[in-house]
Amino acid sequence: MDTAGSSSVPNPTKPTYACVRCSDRKVKCNREVPCSACVRHRALCIYRPPKAPRRKKTHAPHDQLVERLRRYEHLLQERGIDPEPPRSIDNPEEIPPIEQGPTPAASAETAGVAQSPMPVSAPSEPRATIFKPEVIQGRSGTRLVDNSLWSRVALEIDENEENVEEDSANDTSDDLPSDDDFGYVLGDKMPNMSPLHPSAEQIYELWGIFLENVNPLSKVIHVPTLQPAIVKAVNNIAQIPRGFEALMFSIYSTAILTLTDNDCVSRFSEPRSILLRRYISATKIALSRAKFMSSNSIVIMQALLFHLLSLRDHSEPRAVWTLTGVAVRIGQGMGMRIDGTLLGLSPFETELRRRIWWQLNMHEFRAAELCGQAKYRDFKLDETTPKIGANVNDCDMHPSMTSAPVESGKITEMLWCSFRTDLATGGAAQQERLRNAGKVGFTSEEFIAMDDLTIKDRFLQEMEEKVETKYLRFCDPSEPLQFMTLVGGRLALNLARFLTHHPRRWAQQSHVPDEEKKLVWDVVMQLLQQYDMMQSSPQLQRFAWNVPYFIQWHAVIHAMDLLRAEPLYPDATKAWRLIEALYRNNAEMLLVTDRPILLAVGNLCLKAYDARETVLSRDGRKEQVPEYIMKLRERARARKEALLERRARKTNVNVPPLHSHIEGPTSTLPSDRLLSQQFATHDHLAMPPSDDTFWLSDALVSDTFTIGAVDPMDLDTQDYDFGGSGGDAVDWAQLDAWFGDPVLANLGGR
């Protein structure tokens, strides 16, 4: 047995394996005699040959695999191809073992991730004092180490971590409750059982719909590698890894999202609402089973992103924004906020991560806006920010490529995504420039309200030059994706013009100069026309699903407000035709009863049309009431009746006798007025207070709750009036409240 003294004598032959202590601790050993770790800890350094590893079961004997490899090398040499010389075998431990062939399920997830092998990030030498961000890759995916605290931990991570790290996301054994199960974030109690897949024929049909309708507008998957993975999964449905299963269900739900109700009935014999609810719920279950909150898998990241797309139009905006924030945090933990070239990742994975990161952030920008938040407040652009995805087709990329794909000088499949990302980076860069110029805390909303048209017009000119010269002039209207980009580009420029000359700059409508009013009106009319074209054009029908989420409600509300103030404004008839088209193309605007912004727009539309009817009647003219106006009136009437009934039920339980609070004879009051007056006095008794009011007020020491205890249902009877009684301009601050007020946003949950 060696002693401390003898072990310090340099050994002429450097060991090819770790010392006993480093092996037990599973840390990096530099294989010196003694090793640096034992010297640092003043421990005895002993080297013993490791036990022979147990042979793994393989699908083919080892000798057959070696013989096959030699035969392939011989065939290559016969054809004049010199095989790559083998790596140096000075260190036998660096020779990777011949592994068992992948199972169909494992191949499916590998193809879905579409990653090529990456070098292990643990350095062979102690790192410098200044720690630089790096990625650590294990079987569960890639995670980023980006602070000095973790730099010491990263040094101790064994280079063969993948041999000991558990891949809980792909574990198909029965789950037990654990502290890292955050499935409740998705909003439902998640069962442990695997959700039910559709039939093989329906899976292939949904996959085809996804490729045609969703993939051109998202581009966060690599079709050539995912296509065979889908086939393998269908043929082995019971053995799909959990992350890949979540991706499949998210593909089903987004495919259904793009179809009309008639399409769903004819293709799948079920209504769209039922299919969409089924597959969204199944995606939630699959994500929960895959433990998405603690995942580092690109596959799960793709599934989560598609899940956000599938529920964004029908879910409460604040919840969508919050879940999007969860996805952003998961991406940050995987190092996606840093360009892959700076982390030493393979060119293929670098490109895929860029696409995912930008799609996620563009979704976050819009989700924040719909919640009343500034679009780019927490987004920073610097030298580490991921680049825009390369302008290449999927066929020009493959997981084993050793260099970055060469940008194409022609239009590719990435046209729409590159165009949108360019717009997002331009907007974020403009906001960053203004902050750097000394405008502390400058936000996108402050840009809208700026009076300095020089800065705003310069930004608009730069944006127009980029969009026109880089994208629109190359678009062929006969190609659906190029036509979509052409119309979308024109719409984006008009939207920028509207924001540049936003009515918020003026306190009242009467203060706006006629030229400015005409300019904004013309821009809004063009916006409504372009929304209609993107949703009603047969050529763009497969992309129409993506439009409603990006409708600029400020522009729609401005049009209705002006029509209310000036019912016979020039082109008013054309404007009403475009508003009718908006309701026709977005039926949920007539059906949804729990989205404050849609209710507000509906009530403002009724006020504007009432003003039009009044003026026409005064001039002796009359027109047929459009169907959507009749439906809006019916919805408003039904909601008021439901509220009165609800109040009446509460009155019988909560409200003391009427005579003790109302002066004068009450029998002369009509029943609805009497009820209204009664609740004007006792509305604070309708419901218990909110959580915050409960502990922030003195409600606990009172017999009744009197502070802030307003029944949110009472808001249903409000007129959603954004202007004054004289028809002045919209109160934009009140409009922001409809976007972002959490009480109003939760009306449907009461």
Side-chain angles (χ1 to χ4, degrees):
M1 183 174 180
D2 294 337
T3 63
S6 61
S7 63
S8 62
V9 178
N11 194 333
T13 303
K14 185 176 180 179
T16 58
Y17 43 84
C19 70
V20 173
R21 189 172 185 275
C22 290
S23 179
D24 291 340
R25 296 176 60 228
K26 298 188 184 307
V27 298
K28 177 84 174 173
C29 181
N30 63 1
R31 301 187 180 95
E32 297 293 340
V33 184
C35 72
S36 59
C38 291
V39 172
R40 185 166 61 252
H41 295 285
R42 299 180 182 179
L44 188 64
C45 189
I46 301 173
Y47 286 88
R48 289 198 189 103
K51 296 180 181 179
R54 288 186 294 180
R55 296 185 59 182
K56 296 181 179 179
K57 292 181 180 180
T58 58
H59 289 258
H62 180 275
D63 295 339
Q64 292 181 13
L65 294 176
V66 173
E67 181 61 29
R68 187 181 301 174
L69 179 61
R70 290 174 180 170
R71 182 163 61 87
Y72 291 159
E73 291 179 348
H74 178 68
L75 291 174
L76 289 173
Q77 290 173 350
E78 285 183 349
R79 286 161 176 75
I81 301 175
D82 186 21
E84 183 179 351
R87 296 191 300 170
S88 172
I89 57 174
D90 293 338
N91 189 347
E93 286 194 359
E94 294 181 359
I95 302 177
I98 299 179
E99 296 183 353
Q100 158 183 340
T103 63
S107 299
E109 183 153 19
T110 303
V113 178
Q115 299 182 62
S116 59
M118 297 186 300
V120 179
S121 61
S124 58
E125 298 295 336
R127 66 190 68 199
T129 303
I130 300 177
F131 177 75
K132 295 183 179 180
E134 62 177 312
V135 292
I136 297 175
Q137 186 179 8
R139 289 178 60 194
S140 62
T142 301
R143 65 177 180 268
L144 177 70
V145 175
D146 193 14
N147 61 32
S148 57
L149 171 64
W150 268 84
S151 65
R152 182 64 181 87
V153 179
L155 182 63
E156 299 295 333
I157 294 179
D158 186 53
E159 63 180 354
N160 293 319
E161 178 196 28
E162 62 272 16
N163 294 329
V164 297
E165 184 176 18
E166 294 294 334
D167 188 5
S168 59
N170 292 333
D171 183 13
T172 58
S173 61
D174 292 337
D175 283 337
L176 294 175
S178 62
D179 291 337
D180 62 349
D181 184 3
F182 293 93
Y184 59 83
V185 174
L186 296 172
D188 292 328
K189 183 178 180 181
M190 300 300 157
N192 184 37
M193 65 183 68
S194 176
L196 183 64
H197 288 264
S199 65
E201 293 77 11
Q202 289 184 345
I203 291 178
Y204 288 132
E205 187 169 5
L206 289 168
W207 170 244
I209 295 170
F210 173 87
L211 290 181
E212 185 177 1
N213 299 351
V214 181
N215 184 56
L217 303 186
S218 57
K219 298 303 297 178
V220 296
I221 63 167
H222 186 240
V223 176
T225 52
L226 191 55
Q227 175 90 34
I230 293 289
V231 175
K232 290 180 181 179
V234 172
N235 294 330
N236 200 359
I237 205 74
Q239 300 297 323
I240 306 175
R242 292 190 174 179
F244 195 79
E245 182 177 60
L247 177 60
M248 291 183 69
F249 277 108
S250 68
I251 287 173
Y252 305 156
S253 57
T254 49
I256 293 297
L257 177 70
T258 66
L259 301 178
T260 64
D261 192 62
N262 291 335
D263 290 335
C264 290
V265 172
S266 62
R267 290 190 181 203
F268 304 103
S269 302
E270 289 188 271
R272 178 178 181 268
S273 58
I274 293 177
L275 290 171
L276 191 59
R277 189 183 308 115
R278 176 187 304 159
Y279 291 131
I280 287 177
S281 298
T283 305
K284 291 180 180 181
I285 295 171
L287 285 169
S288 179
R289 283 164 50 84
K291 295 182 171 58
F292 76 102
M293 287 281 285
S294 55
S295 170
N296 297 312
S297 168
I298 288 183
V299 167
I300 295 177
M301 196 68 187
Q302 292 167 327
L304 185 56
L305 184 53
F306 289 136
H307 179 58
L308 288 169
L309 294 182
S310 67
L311 56 81
R312 68 185 187 184
D313 290 329
H314 310 284
S315 300
E316 196 274 307
R318 185 68 64 89
V320 174
W321 182 48
T322 302
L323 186 57
T324 304
V326 171
V328 171
R329 284 291 181 267
I330 295 173
Q332 289 174 339
M334 296 171 64
M336 286 189 176
R337 63 178 176 80
I338 300 177
D339 195 77
T341 56
L342 303 177
L343 299 175
L345 301 179
S346 68
F348 184 86
E349 185 177 0
T350 295
E351 176 63 25
L352 202 61
R353 288 160 66 97
R354 288 171 179 171
R355 297 182 180 186
I356 294 174
W357 179 248
W358 280 110
Q359 280 291 335
L360 184 60
N361 277 276
M362 287 188 292
H363 185 275
E364 201 274 339
F365 297 156
R366 179 57 175 166
E369 187 177 26
L370 290 178
C371 290
Q373 307 296 314
K375 290 179 68 172
Y376 310 111
R377 183 182 297 276
D378 299 323
F379 190 80
K380 304 294 182 183
L381 289 171
D382 55 34
E383 64 278 0
T384 67
T385 303
K387 299 178 182 178
I388 297 176
N391 182 41
V392 295
N393 294 316
D394 278 2
C395 61
D396 298 324
M397 296 168 50
H398 55 88
S400 59
M401 62 185 185
T402 57
S403 58
V406 179
E407 292 266 2
S408 174
K410 301 179 180 179
I411 289 179
T412 70
E413 301 165 359
M414 281 291 292
L415 174 63
W416 175 260
C417 294
S418 298
F419 158 71
R420 287 196 61 223
T421 309
D422 245 351
L423 292 182
T425 55
Q430 169 68 11
Q431 189 169 318
E432 188 70 18
R433 285 197 296 267
L434 291 172
R435 277 198 295 260
N436 294 337
K439 297 183 179 294
V440 180
F442 200 81
T443 67
S444 55
E445 296 305 309
E446 292 169 335
F447 176 82
I448 293 175
M450 279 179 58
D451 284 330
D452 191 346
L453 286 180
T454 303
I455 295 178
K456 298 168 78 171
D457 285 336
R458 183 168 63 246
F459 167 70
L460 178 60
Q461 183 179 1
E462 293 174 358
M463 176 183 172
E464 187 170 5
E465 290 177 358
K466 175 188 284 189
V467 171
E468 292 284 353
T469 59
K470 190 174 180 179
Y471 297 102
L472 302 190
R473 65 179 179 141
F474 298 108
C475 291
D476 180 3
S478 64
E479 294 292 331
L481 185 62
Q482 298 181 38
F483 186 33
M484 178 74 170
T485 307
L486 186 63
V487 179
R490 303 291 185 211
L491 190 150
L493 293 176
N494 279 325
L495 181 56
R497 292 188 185 97
F498 174 73
L499 296 179
T500 298
H501 299 272
H502 199 289
R504 177 171 294 191
R505 297 173 52 233
W506 310 96
Q508 293 183 353
Q509 191 86 359
S510 58
H511 296 172
V512 184
D514 290 339
E515 292 183 0
E516 188 78 4
K517 182 189 298 185
K518 181 67 166 57
L519 172 63
V520 176
W521 173 260
D522 290 342
V523 170
V524 170
M525 289 301 99
Q526 291 180 39
L527 282 172
L528 291 176
Q529 285 179 303
Q530 287 155 350
Y531 285 134
D532 182 31
M533 183 180 297
M534 295 179 80
Q535 291 189 282
S536 60
S537 170
Q539 194 176 0
L540 300 179
Q541 194 61 43
R542 60 191 176 114
F543 301 138
W545 63 273
N546 194 50
V547 179
Y549 191 68
F550 297 96
I551 291 176
Q552 177 51 249
W553 294 112
H554 284 188
V556 176
I557 289 172
H558 174 74
M560 293 179 178
D561 186 65
L562 187 57
L563 289 171
R564 177 189 174 191
E566 302 182 44
L568 299 182
Y569 193 78
D571 285 338
T573 303
K574 176 183 176 181
W576 281 112
R577 286 200 302 267
L578 292 172
I579 293 173
E580 182 177 8
L582 186 69
Y583 275 96
R584 182 176 61 250
N585 296 328
N586 302 275
E588 68 277 1
M589 292 177 63
L590 296 170
L591 302 175
V592 172
T593 59
D594 59 353
R595 297 282 296 277
I597 186 62
L598 296 183
L599 296 175
V601 170
N603 283 330
L604 188 58
C605 181
L606 289 179
K607 287 178 176 294
Y609 195 81
D610 289 345
R612 176 177 177 82
E613 282 188 324
T614 300
V615 172
L616 291 177
S617 176
R618 186 181 59 200
D619 296 343
R621 292 183 290 171
K622 188 176 182 180
E623 64 181 9
Q624 184 178 359
V625 179
E627 183 180 0
Y628 75 97
I629 292 293
M630 291 189 292
K631 289 184 177 180
L632 286 175
R633 287 172 175 173
E634 182 181 351
R635 184 182 70 177
R637 185 164 50 250
R639 289 178 63 83
K640 287 187 177 182
E641 290 176 356
L643 177 62
L644 290 175
E645 182 180 354
R646 177 188 174 103
R647 283 179 165 179
R649 288 198 304 268
K650 293 179 181 179
T651 304
N652 295 332
V653 177
N654 295 328
V655 180
L658 184 63
H659 60 77
S660 62
H661 296 277
I662 299 180
E663 298 179 1
T666 59
S667 58
T668 60
L669 291 174
S671 59
D672 57 344
R673 183 182 170 192
L674 178 132
L675 187 61
S676 175
Q677 186 169 349
Q678 181 178 355
F679 268 81
T681 308
H682 296 284
D683 205 38
H684 62 276
L685 299 176
M687 289 189 66
S690 66
D691 292 336
D692 290 345
T693 303
F694 187 82
W695 72 274
L696 287 173
S697 70
D698 296 329
L700 289 177
V701 298
S702 176
D703 294 334
T704 57
F705 300 114
T706 58
I707 301 178
V710 178
D711 187 349
M713 286 296 294
D714 292 343
L715 297 169
D716 295 349
T717 59
Q718 291 188 9
D719 290 333
Y720 295 94
D721 186 359
F722 299 109
S725 58
D728 291 334
V730 169
D731 182 352
W732 295 104
Q734 186 174 355
L735 174 60
D736 288 340
W738 294 120
F739 275 107
D741 193 307
V743 174
L744 302 180
N746 283 300
L747 285 178
R750 294 291 181 181

